Amino acid sequence: MTETLLMFFSVIHWVKSHFTLWDFAMALLGLFFFTCIHERVTKKGPMLWPVLGITPSLFLHLNDVFDWVTKALIKAEGTFHFRGFSMGGAFGIVTVDPSNVEYMLKTNFNNFPKGIYYRERFYDLLGDGIFNADDELWKKQRQLAKLNMHSSRFIEHSFQSMQCVIHQKLLKLFENLANSGHCFDLQEVLLRLTFDNICTAALGVDPGCLALDNFRQEVLFAKAFEQATELTLLRFLIPPFIFKPLMFFRIGYEKRLKKATEIVHDFADKTVRDRRNKLDKLGNLNDQSDLLSRLMETQINFPGKFFRDFCISFILAGRDTTSVALAWFFWLLHKNPDVETKILDEIYEILGHNRHDIVFTVEELKKMVYLEAALSESLRLYPSVPIELKQVLKDDVFPDGTRVKKVKVADGQSVVPKLTTTLYMKNGLMVTLKPRLVENNNGS
């Protein structure tokens, strides 16, 4: 033992006498460059820097994440490995290969839950709601939601709610904006539209986001909900040893996240509390057909937190996804006027004549196949939810041959122009409305 220690110290002494700090620095620099070159030559995906992983490349492309990741996926033939900061524990696979996606979401679904990596980051906002649940909890909520959403009573209620929001709010707002000639953010209007609609159809409350008096003002809950989702996503970019202390001490962005989440929870708690009080007072909710009322009446013993998490999850599902899909759709129509003309021709052909105050029937909507195809193509090009996070339970192999190790996170298409859970347009969609000249049946 003594001889070993003497040998060790003699080696240290020899190194110190023959090498300077500059020599060590040059050696580390050489090792850094060698590692980078080796990574670039042997791997097809984005550059994984020593120690820092994909983090520098990600931050360098924050403003063009969509293009950057798309090019990386094309170069890597649809799938590549990634890792984050060495001490952060973030590593996994990004894939857009259809066979891999189907394998995770259908063929071997049970082996790919959302996992603790996803759940712990969204838990403060979503709790145990359906979009943050796994296994039996997810199955139970899905069955309850499916049972109530497919009922003829709710389908009729949701259809009428949408008609009401469109004709009594949206069209009046558009008429006001067209007369004013002012430029406005169409994406913001669509967000307000879908927020009013999902709250009315699913929760039975009208937040009034589209009201003319409120249009130029921020709706506190809607703004807090958007801020909460954006700030929660930062937890996926920041290593746990950084965001967890920030969360514990409520400092930095975590302080703003906490405040926004409290506003969201207060809104949902009040909605649930008022509905529960009405149920206790009347003994039933027969006069309401919204999803929350139907669910609360059949599952009366469920705790308030269950209904709160339910409310927040459905607002997330119904607000952002539909609104951003419509924003991209109208932008594509603007870029492709020939498609717009074909859609209008189809509508005029189905209607048969010019009508004022048109309310499309279900039968008429089913006949609009070209419109449906255009919407589907828009969603293919700009999916509302481009990211699907999964965590594998057991070692597996994707259909394309990629090996997946447990504990790693397998991502869906991680391409977002703005870092949110949905595919927002970063700068909105500024438009000006002008009346459309429509020919009558005589062509005059």
Side-chain angles (χ1 to χ4, degrees):
M1 183 66 179
T2 304
E3 292 180 357
T4 303
L5 288 174
L6 289 173
M7 185 178 295
F8 175 76
F9 284 118
S10 64
V11 170
I12 295 295
H13 177 73
W14 184 87
V15 170
K16 288 177 65 178
S17 62
H18 288 79
F19 293 93
T20 64
L21 185 61
W22 175 254
D23 294 324
F24 281 109
M26 291 301 294
L28 289 175
L29 185 63
L31 179 62
F32 177 84
F33 280 114
F34 175 78
T35 304
C36 291
I37 294 172
H38 179 267
E39 179 69 29
R40 188 71 286 169
V41 171
T42 59
K43 302 293 177 61
K44 294 182 178 180
M47 182 67 184
L48 300 182
W49 301 90
V51 181
L52 301 176
I54 200 174
T55 307
S57 300
L58 180 63
F59 278 97
L60 284 173
H61 294 88
L62 279 180
N63 292 324
D64 64 338
V65 173
F66 183 93
D67 292 334
W68 173 62
V69 177
T70 300
K71 291 176 182 177
L73 286 165
I74 292 173
K75 185 177 180 181
E77 299 178 353
T79 303
F80 65 76
H81 289 77
F82 78 93
R83 58 177 169 78
F85 192 72
S86 295
M87 297 175 62
F91 50 94
I93 297 169
V94 177
T95 182
V96 290
D97 187 301
S99 61
N100 293 344
V101 174
E102 182 181 21
Y103 186 76
M104 287 187 287
L105 300 183
K106 181 180 178 181
T107 309
N108 199 14
F109 176 77
N110 291 333
N111 195 36
F112 294 92
K114 294 181 180 70
I116 188 64
Y117 183 85
Y118 180 95
R119 280 179 51 79
E120 71 172 357
R121 285 158 175 76
F122 265 110
Y123 187 81
D124 289 344
L125 176 61
L126 300 180
D128 292 314
I130 190 170
F131 291 109
N132 204 38
D134 275 325
D135 304 324
E136 292 303 317
L137 182 61
W138 175 83
K139 291 180 181 178
K140 184 176 183 179
Q141 293 189 56
R142 183 176 183 273
Q143 289 172 353
L144 289 173
K146 185 178 180 181
L147 178 66
N148 288 278
M149 290 179 69
H150 288 187
S151 67
S152 58
R153 180 175 179 177
F154 176 73
I155 292 174
E156 179 64 23
H157 167 70
S158 60
F159 191 70
Q160 291 179 355
S161 297
M162 176 56 81
Q163 286 185 344
C164 179
V165 172
I166 293 291
H167 289 271
Q168 296 184 18
K169 294 184 177 183
L170 182 66
L171 294 183
K172 290 181 178 180
L173 176 61
F174 277 164
E175 183 179 2
N176 181 277
L177 292 169
N179 292 334
S180 69
H182 292 156
C183 188
F184 66 94
D185 186 355
L186 180 59
Q187 180 175 248
E188 174 65 22
V189 173
L190 294 172
L191 281 167
R192 288 170 177 256
L193 164 68
T194 52
F195 187 72
D196 276 4
N197 180 64
I198 193 61
C199 286
T200 302
L203 310 183
V205 296
D206 181 6
C209 295
L210 277 179
L212 292 176
D213 295 339
N214 293 336
F215 180 67
R216 297 299 179 186
Q217 303 173 10
E218 286 188 347
V219 179
L220 182 62
F221 171 72
K223 187 64 179 179
F225 194 89
E226 182 177 336
Q227 187 178 44
T229 54
E230 289 185 20
L231 294 176
T232 297
L233 195 63
L234 288 178
R235 292 178 174 179
F236 289 90
L237 304 177
I238 299 174
F241 68 86
I242 295 178
F243 89 73
K244 287 187 176 181
L246 294 178
M247 179 175 62
F248 181 80
F249 292 107
R250 296 186 183 181
I251 56 178
Y253 79 91
E254 286 287 340
K255 181 180 180 180
R256 290 184 288 135
L257 173 58
K258 182 67 176 178
K259 183 178 180 180
T261 302
E262 287 176 351
I263 294 174
V264 172
H265 286 181
D266 287 345
F267 176 89
D269 283 333
K270 184 179 185 304
T271 302
V272 172
R273 187 168 56 251
D274 291 347
R275 199 65 44 82
R276 180 88 77 180
N277 291 338
K278 182 177 181 180
L279 178 60
D280 292 340
K281 181 180 180 180
L282 301 179
N284 63 71
L285 296 171
N286 293 336
D287 63 331
Q288 295 195 240
S289 301
D290 59 273
L291 202 56
L292 176 61
S293 298
R294 297 298 91 225
L295 189 61
M296 186 174 289
E297 199 168 38
T298 57
Q299 307 294 334
I300 192 171
N301 294 322
F302 278 24
K305 184 180 180 301
F306 172 87
F307 293 113
R308 184 189 75 183
D309 295 343
F310 164 86
C311 290
I312 296 172
S313 287
F314 269 81
I315 292 172
L316 178 65
R319 173 183 180 262
D320 293 7
T321 52
T322 305
S323 59
V324 298
L326 289 173
W328 287 108
F329 173 71
F330 285 119
W331 177 75
L332 285 170
L333 284 186
H334 174 70
K335 295 289 186 180
N336 299 272
D338 56 320
V339 175
E340 179 186 7
T341 300
K342 291 179 181 178
I343 291 174
L344 290 172
D345 289 343
E346 180 182 66
I347 292 174
Y348 296 147
E349 181 181 348
I350 291 171
L351 294 180
H353 55 82
N354 295 322
R355 296 187 340 218
H356 298 288
D357 299 324
I358 296 173
V359 178
F360 296 126
T361 65
V362 174
E363 290 70 25
E364 289 172 337
L365 291 172
K366 288 180 179 179
K367 294 178 182 179
M368 298 179 186
V369 292
Y370 190 84
L371 174 60
E372 181 181 0
L375 286 166
S376 298
E377 178 65 3
S378 176
L379 284 169
R380 185 187 71 83
L381 295 171
Y382 298 97
S384 296
V385 184
I387 302 172
E388 179 68 20
L389 291 172
K390 293 293 183 179
Q391 183 169 320
V392 65
L393 295 180
K394 299 178 181 178
D395 290 357
D396 211 333
V397 180
F398 281 156
D400 69 352
T402 303
R403 294 186 176 276
V404 187
K405 299 292 184 179
K406 64 180 180 180
V407 183
K408 294 186 179 181
V409 179
D411 289 17
Q413 186 175 353
S414 179
V415 283
V416 286
K418 180 181 177 183
L419 287 176
T420 55
T421 53
T422 47
L423 201 70
Y424 281 110
M425 291 180 173
K426 185 174 182 180
N427 300 312
L429 182 61
M430 304 305 295
V431 301
T432 302
L433 295 180
K434 295 181 180 179
R436 183 190 301 277
L437 297 178
V438 181
E439 295 181 351
N440 61 27
N441 291 332
N442 297 323
S444 60

